[in-house]
Amino acid sequence: MNGLHEGEILLDASAMEPPEPLQRATVILQQLEPGQYLRMLHRRLPYPLFDACKSLAIDHRHFPGRHSHWVILFWRHEDSATAQYCRKLEP
Amino acid sequence: MRTDRLLLQHMPALSIPYRFFLSAPLFGILGALLLLHGGEASWTNRWTAETLAATHLLTLGFMATVMVGALFQVLPVLSGHSVPGQRWLAPGLHILLAASTLALATSFLLHSDPWRLAALLLLAVTFALFLGALGLRLVKPGGGDSVFGIRLAALSLFIAVALGMLMLWVYMGGHTPQWLQQSGGAHLRFALLGWVLLLVMAVSYQVIPMFHVTPEFPKPLARAIPACVFIALVLLTAGSKDRASGLAVALLVSSGIAYAAITLSLFRRRKRKLVDYTIRFWQLGLACLIVALLGYGAAYARPEWSGPASQLQWGVLLVVGFAISIIIGMLQKIAPFLAWLHLQQACLTQPSAMLTLPTMHDLLPRRRARVQFWLHGTSLALLTMAPAYPPLGLPAALALAVDFAWLELSLLKVLRAYRGSLDGINRL
C-alpha cells in the first residue's frame, strides 16, 4: 500500500524552520478535497497542527519515516474512502 | 523530550513573558544614558559609580529581565509543568526585579546606605521568590540535558546573588569574614560564566535545532560541558592561586570554547542556509565568548597583561558581545514566533481565519532585524575600543542607547501587529 496515490499531496517540512510547516500545512488542509490526503514529512510531531485539525474536521495518523523522522497523514474526517486508504498505509 | 506536546498545553499567556521583554530594553537605554552622563571617567576602571550602575542596569535590568521572562515560557515546555502561581508571580517578579535594579543603580550613584539597604531587601525578596519558584520545578527528578543545565545555572545565580548582596553589606560597613570581602571576582564569574553562560548553553540545546534546523548538540557533551564549567567555577572560588586554580581556569576556558566551537559548527551544518539575523547574532555572541575566554586565560597566566582597560574590555565582550548579542538575536525570533503561535491558537475557534494569519516577517520584518544587527555591531565595536581610548565612550554610549531603542520599537511593532491580527480574527 505504499504506491503513489493520485490524491496524495506531499509536504516535505523536514528542513523548514517553524512556523513554516504549520503555515503551509494549514493552507493545504483548508483546501483538501474528498479523495485527497496530505502526506507530511517532518522532523518533529507537529502537535499545534493536530490541535488545528480538530477545528478543521481533519483526521490524522503518524508513523516513523524512512527518510524523515516522522510521516504524518491527514484526510477529511467525512472522507471514509480516503480514511480507509490512509489507515492501511504502512510505515 | 516532549517539547512539541507540551508547548501548547503549558504555554503561558503572551503577556507573561512579553511584559519582561518590553521593559528590558528600557533598562538598557538607561544604562547607556548613564555611561553618556559619566563621560570619559566611566571608562577608566570598572569601579566608578556610573560604570557599576550601568553594568547592573545591563545585567539585571536587561539580561536578567529577559532571562526571567523567557524562563516562564521555556521551563513549562522543558519540564512539563507550569511555574507555580505564574499568573501572579510573573507580574509581581517583574515589578520587584525592576525596583531592585533601580534601587541598586541608585545606591551606586548616590553612595547611599538607605538605598543600599533598600536594594538589599528588594533583591533578597525578588530572588528568593524567583529561585524558590524555579527550584520547586528543578528539584523534581528527570528532565533532559537542558533542565540539567538550568539547574546548574540556577545554582550559579543563587551564589552570584548571595555574593553580590554580601558585597553590598560590606559597602554598608557590615562585618563579614576577610575571605568574603574579596568576593568580587567570584560574584562576577558566577554571574556571567555561571548563570548566563550555563543558561545560554541549556536553552541553546533546544532552540538552535528547533528554530534553525541544525543537528542536535552532541549528546555526551551536552551535560559534560556545563558540569565542567560549574566545577571549574567552584574550584576557582574555593582554591587559592596555585596549580589547582590554574587547572580550573584551563578547564573553564576550554569547556566554554568547546561549547562555542561546537555550536558554531552546528550552524554551518544546517540544512537550509538562508540569511537569518538571529544566527548572525549567535555567531557574533559565540565569537565574543571565545575571545573573552582566551583573554581571561591570558590574564590569569600573565597578570601583568590585565589592567583596568583590559578588565573593562573583558566585561564588554562578555556582557554586550556575548550575552546581549545572543539575547537580542533570540528576541528577533522568539517575539514574533510566540505572537504567531498565540494567533494560531486563537484561530482554533475560527478555522477560516487561519488563511489570514500574518507570517513571521509580517510581524517583524527582516529589515528591522538587519538594522538591529548593524546597530548592535557598531555599539559593540565602539564599546570594546572605549576602554583603550576613552573619547570613544560618548559615541559608544549613544550607539548603545540607539541599539536598545531600536529593539524596543521592534518589540512594540510585533505587539501592535499581534493585536491587529487578533482583532481581525475576533471580528470574523
Side-chain angles (χ1 to χ4, degrees), chain B residues 68-131:
Chain B
V68 169
L71 273 175
F72 274 103
Q73 179 70 40
V74 167
L75 200 65
V77 176
L78 297 176
S79 71
H81 303 279
S82 302
V83 177
Q86 62 180 11
R87 276 169 190 259
W88 62 267
L89 188 63
L93 261 178
H94 178 238
I95 293 168
L96 279 168
L97 189 54
S100 357
T101 305
L102 291 173
L104 185 63
T106 310
S107 79
F108 286 131
L109 290 172
L110 301 182
H111 305 283
S112 142
D113 277 351
W115 277 106
R116 284 179 185 134
L117 185 62
L120 202 62
L121 293 173
L122 282 165
L123 284 166
V125 175
T126 305
F127 284 100
L129 268 177
F130 175 60
L131 286 167

Side-chain angles (χ1 to χ4, degrees), chain A residues 39-42 62-72 91:
Chain A
R39 177 190 286 263
M40 188 182 196
L41 312 181
H42 206 326
H62 58 264
F63 44 82
R66 290 192 187 124
H67 304 294
S68 63
H69 283 105
W70 294 101
V71 175
I72 311 116

Side-chain angles (χ1 to χ4, degrees), chain B residues 174-198:
Chain B
H175 176 73
T176 51
Q178 185 64 32
W179 62 274
L180 266 178
Q181 290 185 23
Q182 306 299 324
S183 54
H187 164 69
L188 198 146
R189 280 194 302 271
F190 272 103
L192 295 180
L193 298 173
W195 158 241
V196 177
L197 175 58
L198 292 172

Side-chain angles (χ1 to χ4, degrees), chain B residues 5 91 159-160 297 314 358:
Chain B
R5 173 70 280 173
I159 297 169
W314 185 78

Side-chain angles (χ1 to χ4, degrees), chain A residues 14-20 22-23 26-27 30-31 43-45 47-49 51-52 55-56, chain B residues 4-5 8 209-213 216 271-272 276 333 337 340 344 348 351 354-355 358-360:
Chain A
S14 50
M16 290 180 192
E17 294 177 6
E20 195 181 348
L22 193 49
Q23 284 172 323
T26 305
V27 172
Q30 297 223 6
Q31 295 162 351
R43 61 191 187 283
R44 290 166 187 252
L45 283 175
Y47 286 104
L49 187 59
D51 286 344
S55 55
L56 292 170
Chain B
D4 309 85
R5 173 70 280 173
L8 299 179
M210 187 184 120
F211 278 122
H212 305 294
V213 197
E216 302 275 336
K271 290 188 177 175
R272 288 204 304 182
D276 185 324
K333 188 71 80 180
F337 179 71
W340 190 89
Q344 190 262 354
L348 293 182
M354 284 193 191
L355 291 173
T359 65
M360 291 270 281

